[in-house]
Amino acid sequence: RRRKGKIHSDNVAEEEEDQKDELIQLGELRVQLLEKYVRPALLPTASSIDRHLFTHHHHQEQRTQSSNSISNNSYYDNFIKWIRGEYLIAKYGLMVQKAVKQHPELRDDAAGLSTVEVAEVDEGAEVPLILTSVDTIQTAFGMGGWSRNKVPYSSWADSLTNDDKSNNAGDDASSTPIDHIIHHHLKGQIAHSGPLNAYFEMRRREDSYELWTRDYIFGLARYLLDRIAVMDQQQQSSTTTTLIETIILDVGAGDGRLAFFLRRAMKEMVSKSGLQKRTTLTKKRTPSSPDTFSATTEASSSSSSSSLPTIIATDDGSWRAPIYNNRHIQVEQLSALESLDKYGPETLPIMEGEHKENDNAAKKKTRLIVLCSWMPPGQDWTIDFRRPLNYTTSPIGKGDDDDATSSETVEGLAEEYILIGEADDGTCGHNWYTWGNAHFAPLEHDMDEEAMVAPHVVDGYERVDLEELSMLQFSRFDCERSSESKTVSFRRGVRGYCNKS
């Protein structure tokens, strides 16, 4: 029996390997067919290999833009985007179809959001949360050897073999492989790609850049709940008299699935932990301790919901993400700026006779955490996340000098903002204004890169790369050598920053 079992196992493995080889061969034939039709458009003559029909000046343009002239000027040419997608689908599309058939939770389309069961259910019933796992994605798309960390492009960009290089040595372009043309001349990233990349292209969605996994969603939910707990602890040690409500605002949310997933994950986590009541702090004064706090407990109005932050998804609709007519997934049509104006921190008015030394801390009603996944290229929304909220001015120094300087303590609008996507040298936001990469600072900054201070640092925010979460991500431009998407937190300083006037 053992021998028969081993023989059967060997036969299955051999059959699967044969099927894989067959899919690879069919993929190569599809690529040849694609090349037959597009090569004349790419290279009308055999000697036009260096003719720059299509260029990608994203990095160069970022260096010449001023902070007031950032715009989304279609850095990634639509033709390049199309030819890249068609190449990947031709080569790996059959493998993707097989993977999705074997793992139905990977099904995804623009019309149905079939990774989530969104059919209406009885009032009060929970909607099933169906998310794939990191292990499933790696198995389905054959990614066992893929890097889970972001690796500098310069360390792996040269993917040509000696034969490929010789093909490009002369003026004759007739034998130059189409993958070489797409990757090196059109700057359409396809080197070291695989079925995962074709999967994104087969979604046929402009807003499809991140593949959410259960591991990542629950990890991010846990991080947010932990951060809110830390903020609450800091509040308890201050003179705050009212429990602050936390608003998590997902701007540029597309179809709203990230906010939906987080909301469901938090409900599940809080429900399992038994945290069904919310503690409110009230200050009472005693002779021995003038600032003693007592805790009162409010009964939850809807199970565990009162202990959760409010999660809001907004999008201006510019990426034409699908809008679902379902009460569980809602996206408010607002731009990032409009969203901040509407949902930014609220404060209570100062009552007559109250001390004003700690007005900002004592009277705040809400705090804001901003999420932004794959910010549009070349645009910087973070300057609005950090815009000044409150000011407290006091004199510095001694004496009666009229020109004495003063200290201005500033709080940024968001207590924390979290960016998801390509960081530092990619196409999410602006590599200098958003991420602080001095190499991409506008040329108007005429100083040594090491001496330059990133905009978020100037505004009193600390950058924290969330590496454990980043290792759970899968994105459209990942490849075998590098995982491109990251999760990065920017946390507001306790005392903001200091200006001198």
Side-chain angles (χ1 to χ4, degrees):
R1 287 183 180 178
R2 290 179 180 177
R3 184 177 180 183
K4 288 183 178 179
K6 184 176 184 304
I7 293 175
H8 176 72
S9 177
D10 290 342
N11 289 338
V12 170
E14 184 176 347
E15 182 178 347
E16 290 180 349
E17 191 65 28
D18 289 342
Q19 290 178 352
K20 181 179 179 181
D21 292 339
E22 182 179 354
L23 291 177
I24 292 175
Q25 292 174 9
L26 287 174
E28 293 297 337
L29 291 175
R30 285 154 59 101
V31 168
Q32 291 174 18
L33 183 62
L34 174 67
E35 182 173 2
K36 175 183 176 181
Y37 288 104
V38 301
R39 177 179 285 276
L42 294 175
L43 302 170
T45 67
S47 60
S48 57
I49 189 66
D50 292 320
R51 183 166 58 87
H52 300 293
L53 286 176
F54 311 101
T55 55
H56 179 32
H57 294 302
H58 176 65
H59 293 162
Q60 291 86 342
E61 288 190 22
Q62 283 199 4
R63 297 211 66 174
T64 58
Q65 289 172 342
S66 67
S67 59
N68 296 323
S69 64
I70 297 175
S71 60
N72 186 7
N73 292 323
S74 186
Y75 300 116
Y76 203 81
D77 185 274
N78 287 332
F79 177 83
I80 301 172
K81 196 173 186 178
W82 173 82
I83 190 64
R84 174 184 182 272
E86 291 303 309
Y87 173 86
L88 291 170
I89 293 172
K91 188 168 185 177
Y92 302 110
L94 296 176
M95 296 182 185
V96 173
Q97 291 176 358
K98 180 182 177 182
V100 171
K101 185 176 181 180
Q102 292 177 337
H103 304 277
E105 64 270 30
L106 288 172
R107 290 191 184 129
D108 199 314
D109 57 82
L113 187 62
S114 52
T115 52
V116 183
E117 296 291 338
V118 295
E120 292 293 342
V121 294
D122 295 335
E123 189 66 28
E126 291 287 357
V127 180
L129 182 60
I130 302 175
L131 282 167
T132 189
S133 68
V134 169
D135 288 342
T136 295
I137 293 173
Q138 290 178 323
T139 300
F141 297 135
M143 299 174 61
W146 283 41
S147 172
R148 300 307 313 138
N149 298 294
K150 181 176 174 63
V151 178
Y153 180 76
S154 58
S155 67
W156 59 266
D158 187 4
S159 59
L160 294 176
T161 64
N162 291 331
D163 291 339
D164 293 329
K165 291 178 181 178
S166 63
N167 285 336
N168 192 37
D171 293 332
D172 185 4
S174 60
S175 60
T176 302
I178 189 173
D179 57 342
H180 178 97
I181 296 172
I182 295 172
H183 183 80
H184 292 278
H185 293 275
L186 302 184
K187 308 303 181 186
Q189 167 59 39
I190 59 172
H192 307 292
S193 295
L196 172 72
N197 308 97
Y199 171 80
F200 277 98
E201 301 305 322
M202 293 170 74
R203 280 171 145 180
R204 300 297 187 186
R205 288 180 49 171
E206 290 298 314
D207 66 321
S208 177
Y209 289 95
E210 197 82 23
L211 177 55
W212 307 119
T213 66
R214 183 177 182 87
D215 310 73
Y216 179 82
I217 291 296
F218 276 78
L220 180 58
R222 178 75 273 165
Y223 169 83
L224 289 166
L225 291 176
D226 288 346
R227 286 293 298 153
I228 292 170
V230 170
M231 295 173 189
D232 285 342
Q233 290 176 357
Q234 293 172 346
Q235 173 203 348
Q236 291 178 26
S237 62
S238 70
T239 57
T240 305
T241 58
T242 304
L243 189 68
I244 297 176
E245 177 188 3
T246 300
I247 293 177
I248 297 177
L249 182 63
D250 184 10
V251 297
D255 61 14
R257 76 171 71 191
L258 174 59
F260 169 77
F261 289 155
L262 287 174
R263 192 181 300 115
R264 280 298 321 279
M266 288 183 181
K267 282 185 178 180
E268 184 174 323
M269 294 166 67
V270 172
S271 177
K272 288 183 178 179
S273 69
L275 183 60
Q276 298 182 358
K277 296 181 181 295
R278 181 171 184 166
T279 300
T280 301
L281 298 176
T282 57
K283 185 176 5 177
K284 64 178 182 180
R285 294 182 178 271
T286 63
S288 59
S289 179
D291 290 321
T292 300
F293 291 88
S294 64
T296 60
T297 303
E298 300 174 353
S300 170
S301 59
S302 59
S303 184
S304 61
S305 61
S306 63
S307 59
L308 296 172
T310 300
I311 303 178
I312 299 168
T314 66
D315 190 272
D316 65 2
S318 59
W319 278 2
R320 301 182 298 278
I323 298 176
Y324 306 103
N325 184 22
N326 187 279
R327 63 188 175 89
H328 299 290
I329 301 179
Q330 298 182 2
V331 180
E332 193 169 355
Q333 190 162 354
L334 296 170
S335 68
L337 187 57
E338 291 169 336
S339 304
L340 296 170
D341 290 339
K342 182 172 182 178
Y343 294 108
E346 298 179 12
T347 56
L348 290 171
I350 305 302
M351 303 303 292
E352 184 178 356
E354 288 187 294
H355 295 289
K356 295 186 177 182
E357 294 85 351
N358 297 297
D359 287 343
N360 295 336
K363 291 300 175 183
K364 187 184 294 183
K365 290 174 59 179
T366 60
R367 70 166 65 96
L368 181 66
I369 298 176
V370 178
L371 297 178
C372 184
S373 175
W374 289 80
M375 187 182 300
Q379 299 185 29
D380 177 47
W381 296 351
T382 67
I383 189 172
D384 292 311
F385 302 165
R386 302 189 303 268
R387 73 187 185 204
L389 175 64
N390 296 317
Y391 299 83
T392 302
T393 304
S394 60
I396 294 180
K398 298 180 181 180
D400 299 327
D401 188 354
D402 292 337
D403 295 328
T405 59
S406 64
S407 170
E408 192 176 72
T409 302
V410 180
E411 280 191 348
L413 188 69
E415 190 144 340
E416 179 172 350
Y417 61 92
I418 298 169
L419 304 181
I420 302 170
E422 293 180 333
D424 299 313
D425 59 358
T427 57
C428 291
H430 191 283
N431 290 328
W432 166 244
Y433 294 109
T434 304
W435 301 98
N437 185 347
H439 181 68
F440 295 95
L443 299 177
E444 61 195 46
H445 294 271
D446 188 17
M447 63 176 66
D448 185 83
E449 289 185 5
E450 295 183 0
M452 299 177 68
V453 181
H456 68 267
V457 176
V458 172
D459 291 345
Y461 282 75
E462 176 190 8
R463 171 174 169 165
V464 180
D465 289 49
L466 306 179
E467 299 293 355
E468 291 185 3
L469 283 176
S470 298
M471 292 182 67
L472 303 175
Q473 293 180 243
F474 296 92
S475 73
R476 189 171 192 164
F477 301 109
D478 285 356
C479 68
E480 185 177 2
R481 300 290 184 90
S482 178
S483 178
E484 292 298 291
S485 189
K486 297 188 64 174
T487 301
V488 181
S489 165
F490 294 81
R491 303 173 183 175
R492 189 178 66 197
V494 176
R495 296 185 180 180
Y497 62 88
C498 179
N499 285 337
K500 291 187 178 181
S501 57

